[in-house]
Amino acid sequence: MFTGIITDIGRVRAVAQTVRDRRYEVETAWDVSGIDLGASISHAGCCLTVVEKGDHWFAVEVSGETLDKTTLGTWAAGTPINLERATRVGDELGGHIVSGHVDGLGRVIEITPEGGSHRLIIEAPAPLHRFIAAKGSITVDGVSLTVNSVEGQTFGLNIIPHTWDATTLGRLSVGDPVNLEIDMLARYLARWQETA
């Protein structure tokens, strides 16, 4: 489990196709001696398992399903990535409860500066848009955010200067795809309604 609070912007240092899956080596500012093999780390909102590590880098393997359903299939050497280590019992829950399971790909429709902040308008795919509510939580590329407005399949976000600078959101352009994870409570309520 994660909180959507990014603690490092990593960078892809190498990409290789293996017999099993695609392998990414990721550079990080973290002290990797404290990261166990098998540890879960959120990469732009996608939970991946550490399979190897070295001096300021670790490696993960990504399945074809994940490459097809997330932005990870477009990663190349040099791609910056929002990183978050798994939450431990007793850690501060500064964002919201995030599973690291990407629900779908959104698309950036508009970026507008507002004072020191930026307003993002993102289009969500159907039927995912039905689970996004104003003042609810959403994860965009691994970042926990509050939804400001919803209109049809689009929703608006206000990104404060700190978040703009401390995550990859400040590097987004109109038309870019983003990984979306809806609020966990919305997911389970929707399933309950479908089966009740």
Side-chain angles (χ1 to χ4, degrees):
M1 301 301 290
F2 306 94
T3 66
I5 303 300
I6 304 306
T7 57
D8 186 30
I9 298 179
R11 188 168 302 277
V12 176
R13 78 176 210 155
V15 181
Q17 193 65 42
T18 69
V19 190
R20 299 178 299 190
D21 293 305
R22 189 171 301 169
R23 174 189 162 97
Y24 291 106
E25 291 182 3
V26 179
E27 295 175 341
T28 179
W30 294 335
D31 176 4
V32 296
S33 67
I35 299 174
D36 294 331
L37 293 182
S40 294
I41 295 176
S42 172
H43 298 71
C46 186
C47 178
L48 300 173
T49 302
V50 175
V51 298
E52 187 182 354
K53 61 183 184 174
D55 187 23
H56 292 291
W57 66 271
F58 60 87
V60 294
E61 292 178 331
V62 183
S63 70
E65 170 76 5
T66 301
L67 295 171
D68 289 343
K69 298 289 184 355
T70 69
T71 61
L72 278 63
T74 64
W75 288 0
T79 300
I81 309 165
N82 290 325
L83 296 176
E84 180 191 356
R85 294 187 62 182
T87 302
R88 295 180 180 170
V89 174
D91 283 354
E92 179 180 330
L93 185 61
H96 70 281
I97 297 173
V98 176
S99 68
H101 303 156
V102 174
D103 291 304
L105 286 174
R107 186 169 57 92
V108 178
I109 300 297
E110 185 179 321
I111 302 173
T112 308
E114 287 189 0
S117 299
H118 288 80
R119 178 160 304 275
L120 290 183
I121 304 296
I122 296 175
E123 181 180 48
L128 195 62
H129 71 288
R130 297 184 302 122
F131 308 114
I132 301 170
K135 303 308 175 192
S137 297
I138 192 158
T139 309
V140 177
D141 280 350
V143 183
S144 172
L145 298 166
T146 301
V147 177
N148 293 132
S149 60
V150 177
E151 186 175 332
Q153 285 187 227
T154 66
F155 62 94
L157 305 162
N158 182 66
I159 313 299
I160 63 170
H162 172 79
T163 304
W164 191 253
D165 295 336
T167 71
T168 61
L169 297 183
R171 296 172 168 91
L172 289 174
S173 299
V174 170
D176 284 350
V178 288
N179 294 324
L180 300 178
E181 181 184 331
I182 59 171
D183 182 68
M184 195 173 292
L185 181 59
R187 177 187 296 122
Y188 286 111
L189 281 174
R191 181 64 180 151
W192 176 77
Q193 284 184 327
E194 288 173 2
T195 58

